[in-house]
Amino acid sequence: MISLIAAAFDDGWAFVRQGYTVYLVRPPYKRSSLVEVSESAALRAVHAHGFTPELRDYRDWAALISFLREKIAESAAARAPRAAEIDAAARLLRRAPPDVVAGYLDRVERELLPSGEHRAAIRLLSALHGLEHVMTDPPLRARAARLLDAAAEAASASMDRRAALLDDEKDLRRKFPRAMEQWGEALPELMRSVRRRGSLLWMGE
Amino acid sequence: MRTITFYSYKGGVGRSLAVANLARYLASFGQRVFAIDLDLEAPGLHYKLASPAEQRSIRGGVVDAICALLQLGAPLSSAEAALSAPSSLRDFVTRVEHATDSGGSIHLMPAGQAPSAAYFRKLAAVSFHDLFYAEGARGVPFFLELTERIKSEYAPDYLLIDARAGLTDLSGVATSLLPDLVICLLANNQESLEGARSALRAIRRTPRLPGRPPVDLLPVLARIPRTLDDSAEQARVESARAFLNEPAEDLADTLEIPELFVLHAEPELELAEALRVGGDIHPDDSPLLRGYLRLFMHMFSGLIEPKLASLVEGAVKGAMDDPDGAQRKLEALTAAFPHPISYRALLQFYRLRQIDTEKALRVAHRYLELSQVSPERSGPPKLS
């Protein structure tokens, strides 16, 4: 018996319990990507990482994964109209006057960014930023650029927070006991900095 | 355990051969050595270090350990199985015999059963990008765990790493994550020097785990032809050293290489590579062996000198009763451990016994050659 405790259906990440052990599972649902976590990590995820609490039981892993895959598909389908709306807006904005463009920038600032829809915000801002009458209007261009930076930073921070769930100390201690004993909390921090840098050797900026 | 990585920006400079020679050298001084081949795309350390019989006994290596410990590609069926790592490295490690009875030992963790098709299939299944940079990537803790396991299971005095050439993910592990010292072999040409300088600056720039000092760097000019006279060669060495030490755009990256050691080319090695340390070759007949000995002697003077002094003492102990026997022992000692201490003792013995001038001059020449140390510089890093 496997119990689903919490899930984020946008990307299919989920906390599950099997016996006395809690795991974080995520696509592509391989056992190499299974992370053993503490109960408190699952609770923190609900409070801080956008997971919703669930309480469902599954007879085996196959049933659980099948459910999660269905939910990912449903979530993607629900997001599709929003993406279409943004693409349509971007097409219409080619000829829009500056006050309409400013209105869309307001919407990004007041709606999309606070609600965590960073990908949608980046998509819209990228379209706006490329418009000729935005490029030739310094205040508008500066505002679009500032919002684009903010959206990219927020998206990256959100990915970092999500990735940090995978570096759960309990899982690392179980799989790499000697390394964790030697380096402790410095190890997950090093793993994150290597991931951010995208290279083991720091070749410079 | 001290970790020494042999790295080169370009291949073909004798990196694996240098690892194998150092392993033999340290084992002959009673040290426990563990050598690991991280040149996974073109592994070759097992050819240099292990006998043909030992090579045939290889059942696995680094690639197998990566696949086993990380359960790569396995389906999600049993959560418990996913977390059960192999309990020992035994299946991935081969013991290498060596001729001396010094009490030292050599263990080798090869890349795997290379060059079999199965090995390269397994290697192809490993995505090194995912291993280090994907969400939940476990490459960094894996290699740190591997070295901790080596430390606890084999308790080596020295871990020697044969790194991949170029700037790759695995060469990054070998040069920035794991080592205390990087010996960078470089050919004396522009592409090798520029590439090596970039790599050495990057190694210095890369942050380390808390409490670990910066990696020591020891560049060595390799495969230098023995066709130049000493002063012409010295001028080239100085020019290469000046190039490496040129100020970097970001001044904090500027290297400070106090001395460049040289390993000479030996044309016979182009036909058949063979170990120089611990073999039948006398230093008089091998400029490469003399280069290795100067380099190793400098690096390990604190380790070697006390041991050698006691061996010399043992050799001359019965000299009053059996001077010929004592002389034979000293001559054997200089052949086995060519070092200023053994040469000085032999030279003193020759003078005492008024041995013919030519023989004594040859020993004096070797003594001076091995003693050559630049007095005005602090010298590259030493390990003991």
Short mmCIF file of all heavy atoms in Angstrom, two decimals, chain A residues 98-99 101-103 105-106 109 125 128-129 131-148:
data_model
loop_
_atom_site.label_atom_id
_atom_site.label_comp_id
_atom_site.label_asym_id
_atom_site.label_seq_id
_atom_site.Cartn_x
_atom_site.Cartn_y
_atom_site.Cartn_z
N PRO A 98 0.85 52.81 -26.74
CA PRO A 98 1.63 52.63 -25.51
C PRO A 98 0.78 52.43 -24.26
O PRO A 98 1.16 51.66 -23.37
CB PRO A 98 2.43 53.93 -25.41
CG PRO A 98 2.53 54.42 -26.81
CD PRO A 98 1.29 53.98 -27.51
N ASP A 99 -0.41 53.09 -24.16
CA ASP A 99 -1.19 52.94 -22.92
C ASP A 99 -1.74 51.51 -22.78
O ASP A 99 -1.89 51.00 -21.67
CB ASP A 99 -2.31 53.98 -22.84
CG ASP A 99 -3.27 53.88 -24.01
OD1 ASP A 99 -2.77 53.68 -25.14
OD2 ASP A 99 -4.49 53.98 -23.80
N VAL A 101 -0.14 48.81 -23.99
CA VAL A 101 1.04 48.01 -23.58
C VAL A 101 1.28 48.19 -22.09
O VAL A 101 1.51 47.22 -21.35
CB VAL A 101 2.30 48.44 -24.39
CG1 VAL A 101 3.54 47.74 -23.86
CG2 VAL A 101 2.11 48.15 -25.86
N ALA A 102 1.16 49.45 -21.64
CA ALA A 102 1.37 49.73 -20.20
C ALA A 102 0.36 48.96 -19.36
O ALA A 102 0.68 48.46 -18.27
CB ALA A 102 1.27 51.22 -19.94
N GLY A 103 -0.87 48.83 -19.89
CA GLY A 103 -1.90 48.07 -19.18
C GLY A 103 -1.51 46.61 -19.02
O GLY A 103 -1.73 46.00 -17.96
N LEU A 105 1.55 45.51 -18.98
CA LEU A 105 2.66 45.45 -18.01
C LEU A 105 2.11 45.50 -16.58
O LEU A 105 2.59 44.81 -15.69
CB LEU A 105 3.64 46.59 -18.25
CG LEU A 105 4.43 46.53 -19.56
CD1 LEU A 105 5.36 47.73 -19.69
CD2 LEU A 105 5.25 45.24 -19.65
N ASP A 106 1.06 46.34 -16.40
CA ASP A 106 0.41 46.39 -15.08
C ASP A 106 -0.10 45.00 -14.69
O ASP A 106 0.03 44.56 -13.55
CB ASP A 106 -0.80 47.35 -15.09
CG ASP A 106 -0.36 48.81 -15.16
OD1 ASP A 106 0.85 49.05 -14.89
OD2 ASP A 106 -1.19 49.67 -15.49
N GLU A 109 2.58 42.75 -13.57
CA GLU A 109 3.08 43.13 -12.24
C GLU A 109 2.08 42.78 -11.14
O GLU A 109 2.47 42.32 -10.06
CB GLU A 109 3.36 44.64 -12.23
CG GLU A 109 4.28 45.05 -11.10
CD GLU A 109 4.96 46.39 -11.38
OE1 GLU A 109 4.46 47.16 -12.23
OE2 GLU A 109 6.00 46.65 -10.74
N LEU A 125 6.11 39.01 -21.54
CA LEU A 125 7.10 40.09 -21.51
C LEU A 125 8.09 39.97 -22.67
O LEU A 125 8.52 40.98 -23.22
CB LEU A 125 7.85 40.08 -20.17
CG LEU A 125 7.02 40.56 -18.98
CD1 LEU A 125 7.68 40.17 -17.66
CD2 LEU A 125 6.83 42.07 -19.04
N LEU A 128 6.35 41.40 -25.59
CA LEU A 128 6.26 42.86 -25.49
C LEU A 128 7.60 43.53 -25.74
O LEU A 128 7.70 44.54 -26.42
CB LEU A 128 5.76 43.26 -24.08
CG LEU A 128 4.30 42.98 -23.76
CD1 LEU A 128 4.02 43.26 -22.29
CD2 LEU A 128 3.40 43.85 -24.62
N HIS A 129 8.62 42.94 -25.18
CA HIS A 129 9.95 43.53 -25.24
C HIS A 129 10.46 43.64 -26.67
O HIS A 129 11.21 44.55 -27.01
CB HIS A 129 10.91 42.69 -24.39
CG HIS A 129 12.14 43.42 -24.01
ND1 HIS A 129 13.36 43.18 -24.60
CD2 HIS A 129 12.36 44.41 -23.12
CE1 HIS A 129 14.26 43.97 -24.09
NE2 HIS A 129 13.67 44.73 -23.17
N LEU A 131 8.62 44.32 -29.34
CA LEU A 131 7.81 45.19 -30.19
C LEU A 131 8.56 46.48 -30.52
O LEU A 131 9.20 47.06 -29.64
CB LEU A 131 6.48 45.54 -29.48
CG LEU A 131 5.55 44.36 -29.20
CD1 LEU A 131 4.31 44.84 -28.44
CD2 LEU A 131 5.14 43.68 -30.49
N GLU A 132 8.39 46.90 -31.75
CA GLU A 132 9.16 48.07 -32.19
C GLU A 132 8.82 49.31 -31.37
O GLU A 132 9.70 50.07 -30.97
CB GLU A 132 8.90 48.30 -33.68
CG GLU A 132 9.95 49.25 -34.28
CD GLU A 132 9.67 49.57 -35.73
OE1 GLU A 132 8.99 48.76 -36.39
OE2 GLU A 132 10.13 50.63 -36.17
N HIS A 133 7.48 49.53 -31.13
CA HIS A 133 7.14 50.77 -30.41
C HIS A 133 7.49 50.70 -28.92
O HIS A 133 7.48 51.72 -28.24
CB HIS A 133 5.67 51.17 -30.64
CG HIS A 133 4.70 50.09 -30.36
ND1 HIS A 133 4.33 49.16 -31.31
CD2 HIS A 133 4.02 49.77 -29.25
CE1 HIS A 133 3.46 48.33 -30.77
NE2 HIS A 133 3.26 48.68 -29.53
N VAL A 134 7.80 49.48 -28.41
CA VAL A 134 8.33 49.39 -27.04
C VAL A 134 9.83 49.71 -27.07
O VAL A 134 10.34 50.46 -26.23
CB VAL A 134 8.06 48.01 -26.43
CG1 VAL A 134 8.73 47.86 -25.07
CG2 VAL A 134 6.57 47.75 -26.31
N MET A 135 10.50 49.16 -28.09
CA MET A 135 11.95 49.39 -28.21
C MET A 135 12.25 50.89 -28.37
O MET A 135 13.29 51.37 -27.91
CB MET A 135 12.50 48.65 -29.44
CG MET A 135 12.37 47.15 -29.38
SD MET A 135 13.41 46.45 -28.10
CE MET A 135 14.99 46.51 -28.90
N THR A 136 11.35 51.61 -29.02
CA THR A 136 11.63 53.04 -29.28
C THR A 136 11.06 53.95 -28.19
O THR A 136 11.15 55.16 -28.30
CB THR A 136 11.03 53.46 -30.65
OG1 THR A 136 9.65 53.10 -30.66
CG2 THR A 136 11.75 52.78 -31.80
N ASP A 137 10.46 53.36 -27.17
CA ASP A 137 9.91 54.17 -26.06
C ASP A 137 10.73 53.84 -24.79
O ASP A 137 10.46 52.85 -24.11
CB ASP A 137 8.44 53.79 -25.85
CG ASP A 137 7.77 54.65 -24.78
OD1 ASP A 137 8.47 55.10 -23.85
OD2 ASP A 137 6.54 54.84 -24.87
N PRO A 138 11.74 54.69 -24.48
CA PRO A 138 12.66 54.31 -23.39
C PRO A 138 11.99 53.97 -22.06
O PRO A 138 12.34 52.94 -21.47
CB PRO A 138 13.59 55.52 -23.27
CG PRO A 138 13.55 56.15 -24.63
CD PRO A 138 12.16 55.92 -25.16
N PRO A 139 10.99 54.75 -21.56
CA PRO A 139 10.41 54.37 -20.25
C PRO A 139 9.70 53.01 -20.32
O PRO A 139 9.82 52.19 -19.42
CB PRO A 139 9.41 55.49 -19.96
CG PRO A 139 9.78 56.62 -20.84
CD PRO A 139 10.43 56.03 -22.05
N LEU A 140 8.97 52.77 -21.46
CA LEU A 140 8.25 51.51 -21.61
C LEU A 140 9.23 50.34 -21.72
O LEU A 140 9.05 49.28 -21.11
CB LEU A 140 7.40 51.60 -22.88
CG LEU A 140 6.05 50.88 -22.88
CD1 LEU A 140 5.20 51.25 -21.67
CD2 LEU A 140 5.29 51.23 -24.18
N ARG A 141 10.29 50.57 -22.50
CA ARG A 141 11.30 49.52 -22.69
C ARG A 141 11.98 49.19 -21.37
O ARG A 141 12.19 48.03 -21.02
CB ARG A 141 12.35 50.00 -23.71
CG ARG A 141 13.29 48.88 -24.16
CD ARG A 141 14.33 49.39 -25.09
NE ARG A 141 15.16 50.43 -24.47
CZ ARG A 141 15.93 51.27 -25.13
NH1 ARG A 141 15.97 51.23 -26.44
NH2 ARG A 141 16.66 52.15 -24.50
N ALA A 142 12.30 50.24 -20.60
CA ALA A 142 12.98 50.01 -19.31
C ALA A 142 12.06 49.23 -18.36
O ALA A 142 12.52 48.32 -17.65
CB ALA A 142 13.37 51.35 -18.69
N ARG A 143 10.77 49.54 -18.38
CA ARG A 143 9.84 48.86 -17.47
C ARG A 143 9.68 47.38 -17.88
O ARG A 143 9.69 46.49 -17.02
CB ARG A 143 8.48 49.57 -17.50
CG ARG A 143 7.58 49.05 -16.41
CD ARG A 143 6.30 49.83 -16.32
NE ARG A 143 5.41 49.17 -15.38
CZ ARG A 143 4.09 49.14 -15.46
NH1 ARG A 143 3.49 49.76 -16.45
NH2 ARG A 143 3.38 48.52 -14.57
N ALA A 144 9.55 47.16 -19.20
CA ALA A 144 9.41 45.78 -19.68
C ALA A 144 10.66 44.96 -19.33
O ALA A 144 10.57 43.80 -18.89
CB ALA A 144 9.18 45.76 -21.19
N ALA A 145 11.84 45.59 -19.49
CA ALA A 145 13.09 44.89 -19.18
C ALA A 145 13.18 44.57 -17.69
O ALA A 145 13.59 43.47 -17.29
CB ALA A 145 14.28 45.74 -19.62
N ARG A 146 12.77 45.55 -16.86
CA ARG A 146 12.84 45.34 -15.41
C ARG A 146 11.92 44.19 -14.99
O ARG A 146 12.30 43.32 -14.20
CB ARG A 146 12.44 46.65 -14.69
CG ARG A 146 12.46 46.57 -13.17
CD ARG A 146 12.15 47.92 -12.53
NE ARG A 146 10.87 48.50 -12.92
CZ ARG A 146 9.68 48.09 -12.47
NH1 ARG A 146 9.60 47.08 -11.62
NH2 ARG A 146 8.56 48.67 -12.87
N LEU A 147 10.72 44.17 -15.58
CA LEU A 147 9.78 43.10 -15.22
C LEU A 147 10.25 41.73 -15.73
O LEU A 147 10.07 40.72 -15.07
CB LEU A 147 8.39 43.42 -15.80
CG LEU A 147 7.62 44.51 -15.06
CD1 LEU A 147 6.34 44.88 -15.81
CD2 LEU A 147 7.26 44.06 -13.64
N LEU A 148 10.87 41.76 -16.92
CA LEU A 148 11.39 40.50 -17.46
C LEU A 148 12.48 39.93 -16.55
O LEU A 148 12.51 38.73 -16.25
CB LEU A 148 11.93 40.73 -18.88
CG LEU A 148 12.31 39.51 -19.70
CD1 LEU A 148 11.14 38.53 -19.82
CD2 LEU A 148 12.78 39.91 -21.10
#
